[in-house]
Amino acid sequence: MRRILVCSLLLSTLVGCQSSQVSQAQSQASATSSSQATDQATAPAADSRQDVNAQAESPASFEAWLADFRREARAKGIAESTLDRALADVRFQPKILEYDRAQPEFVRPIWQYLDTAVSSTRVTNGRKRLAEHRATAERMASRYGVPAEVLVAIWGVESNYGSNFGSFSTLNSLATLAFDGRRRDFAHDELIAALKIIQNGDIAPDRMIGSWAGAMGHTQFLPSSFLAYAEDGDGDGRRDIWGSIPDVMASTANYLARAGWQAGEPWGVEVRLPADFDYSQTELATRRSSQAWAAQGVRATDGEALPALGKASILTPAGARGPAFLVGGNYRAILRYNTATSYALAVGTLSRRVAGEPGIRADWPRQETPLSRAQVRELQRSLNARGFATGTPDGIMGPNTRAGLRAFQAAQGLTPDGFATVSLLERLQQ
């Protein structure tokens, strides 16, 4: 699978990007489409609409591109009969390009994202879905080593348990994006993969639906991820992640197992940090044993011993004033599904709630306002100008920016937690 590095645009200040050969294409779709509400809420810029409308006025160019694509697909082993079935009704969709070119400027705080992703309604519905499909979920948990609650949680976060996995034709979406999207080569390769799925007999063209970005079915697989990881869970000879819950659960469990899920290990645990904790350690790249963290005074909030994790990291997604988490390899496996820190915490927390365990105990700093992408760029420029190197300003709070911000905070006598706020930006600009 193509190696690409992608981060959720709506959660750009909260993302921990991981380079992964297993799943970066899957992460691209998940980050874009795990909430179909985004499809409806994102307003494209006026110049994007003009570009899209100009292209829509030239359907002949799309038809010429499609004819060239058919020739290339035939050369890659796609049968003429498959091309006729799959591409006969494919149409250029201007609205897809509007979504693709929209660049959200403002981000949601992690606590607002979790309020929705792990709402009481979603917890209640998750428990109901687990009860309805417990035999299937436990069979897949036994086969792949991934707990049933985690499978249900991914199902819930990705598509609200199948109630909202999109209504776009995957073929229309990918053809439009391959013709004129920002990632044409990526969409082109995914369209070839979609044709292979149809040729294999897994799904009919008119049932291949999902998000505008090309992610499909209950747990939002891209076509290339489907080819690599989808499983036939019900034994009917097809892999149907649109209609067969056994196939959905088997495919999701196989994905996580292939991403490195370790049976018997928790994804993580909420912890309390000592007053003198060094927050420069709160990066996924910093990995120590649970025993080493305990020696620094890290304690589980529930009073139990820290779980035995060999390569664990401490995360503080809202800085020193928000919750802290000790996470291990299974948290990283969830990140291979979607690289957003917020997403992985949502899946982990929802899985615990579905299992009847408590949610996050510590309070979030809800009084804080997250920085927009423009404000993050200004933060980066200001830090650079003051000698706190962050690299090229890009509007994303990555490790280098957090390191520069921690250095500034330390110089100001503040807790150097690397959590960017409007008040910090104002202080930096004084």
Side-chain angles (χ1 to χ4, degrees):
M1 193 180 299
R2 182 185 301 275
R3 294 180 66 96
I4 57 175
L5 189 65
V6 292
C7 292
S8 171
L9 293 176
L10 293 179
L11 301 169
S12 59
T13 65
L14 305 171
V15 165
C17 289
Q18 303 291 312
S19 176
S20 162
Q21 193 161 5
V22 175
S23 63
Q24 288 303 323
Q26 176 70 17
S27 297
Q28 171 63 38
S30 255
T32 308
S33 62
S34 61
S35 172
Q36 294 298 325
T38 301
D39 292 346
Q40 306 304 324
T42 303
D47 58 347
S48 294
R49 287 199 192 92
Q50 292 169 1
D51 291 343
V52 170
N53 291 336
Q55 186 63 76
E57 293 170 359
S58 304
S61 58
F62 177 74
E63 294 303 323
W65 173 88
L66 190 60
D68 289 340
F69 175 82
R70 286 180 66 115
R71 285 191 288 273
E72 183 177 349
R74 280 194 295 270
K76 293 187 175 182
I78 306 300
E80 192 68 34
S81 58
T82 300
L83 293 171
D84 287 341
R85 284 195 303 131
L87 300 181
D89 295 323
V90 164
R91 298 291 182 269
F92 176 77
Q93 300 289 325
K95 185 166 289 294
I96 302 255
L97 293 188
E98 291 184 18
Y99 293 139
D100 183 54
R101 292 174 180 176
Q103 296 290 329
E105 177 57 35
F106 294 95
V107 298
R108 295 170 65 193
I110 185 171
W111 47 89
Q112 288 185 7
Y113 176 80
L114 293 174
D115 287 347
T116 300
V118 196
S119 67
S120 58
T121 299
R122 187 160 289 178
V123 171
T124 298
N125 289 339
R127 291 171 181 169
K128 290 179 180 178
R129 296 296 179 271
L130 180 56
E132 292 168 2
H133 303 284
R134 184 172 293 279
T136 296
E138 291 183 350
R139 186 170 73 253
M140 299 312 166
S142 176
R143 181 183 302 174
Y144 297 99
V146 181
E149 294 82 6
V150 172
L151 300 179
V152 169
I154 287 184
W155 186 17
V157 174
E158 287 292 344
S159 70
N160 199 12
Y161 310 109
S163 67
N164 198 12
F165 59 67
S167 58
F168 289 88
S169 160
T170 300
L171 297 169
N172 279 343
S173 293
L174 292 174
T176 298
L177 294 172
F179 171 59
D180 197 31
R182 291 178 297 113
R183 299 175 299 278
R184 297 186 189 186
D185 290 345
F186 170 78
H188 174 280
D189 292 348
E190 292 298 329
L191 183 56
I192 293 289
L195 294 175
K196 290 180 179 178
I197 294 169
I198 293 169
Q199 183 158 283
N200 291 342
D202 286 306
I203 196 74
D206 62 344
R207 287 193 58 222
M208 184 180 273
I209 60 174
S211 78
W212 67 263
M216 312 178 301
H218 284 263
T219 47
Q220 296 288 276
F221 275 28
L222 278 171
S224 58
S225 295
F226 182 102
L227 289 177
Y229 308 114
E231 293 283 297
D232 176 14
D234 58 16
D236 68 351
R238 297 185 301 111
R239 300 175 294 176
D240 181 3
I241 62 171
W242 297 265
S244 169
I245 299 306
D247 289 9
V248 169
M249 290 191 172
S251 300
T252 305
N254 183 49
Y255 192 105
L256 290 176
R258 296 276 295 277
W261 189 276
Q262 296 297 309
E265 282 189 7
W267 64 268
V269 63
E270 189 179 356
V271 295
R272 290 193 303 269
L273 304 179
D276 60 349
F277 187 76
D278 176 6
Y279 283 87
S280 68
Q281 302 174 100
T282 58
E283 298 286 349
L284 278 175
T286 301
R287 303 179 185 184
R288 299 191 176 96
S289 68
S290 297
Q291 293 89 337
W293 289 117
Q296 290 194 38
V298 176
R299 299 289 183 266
T301 56
D302 61 8
E304 300 292 327
L306 295 179
L309 300 173
K311 295 181 179 179
S313 303
I314 299 289
L315 297 183
T316 55
R321 288 171 290 171
F325 305 90
L326 178 79
V327 299
N330 288 345
Y331 176 87
R332 293 184 179 87
I334 298 171
L335 279 179
R336 300 277 284 275
Y337 207 100
N338 183 320
T339 56
T341 295
S342 302
Y343 174 90
L345 282 179
V347 168
T349 304
L350 182 57
S351 70
R352 286 176 55 86
R353 296 292 312 281
V354 168
E357 300 175 27
I360 297 171
R361 298 171 185 264
D363 294 329
W364 296 97
R366 293 177 179 271
Q367 72 280 6
E368 296 292 353
T369 301
L371 301 184
S372 68
R373 289 177 65 88
Q375 288 172 320
V376 172
R377 286 190 291 270
E378 184 58 33
L379 177 81
Q380 292 165 328
R381 284 191 287 266
S382 297
L383 286 170
N384 287 340
R386 296 279 291 269
F388 303 103
T390 67
T392 302
D394 59 6
I396 295 174
M397 285 294 300
N400 289 339
T401 302
R402 288 192 292 271
L405 181 56
R406 289 190 192 105
F408 169 73
Q409 289 172 309
Q412 294 288 307
L414 305 172
T415 301
D417 61 5
F419 181 52
T421 64
V422 171
S423 59
L424 266 178
L425 176 58
E426 292 172 347
R427 184 168 186 154
L428 180 62
Q429 292 176 327
Q430 287 177 354

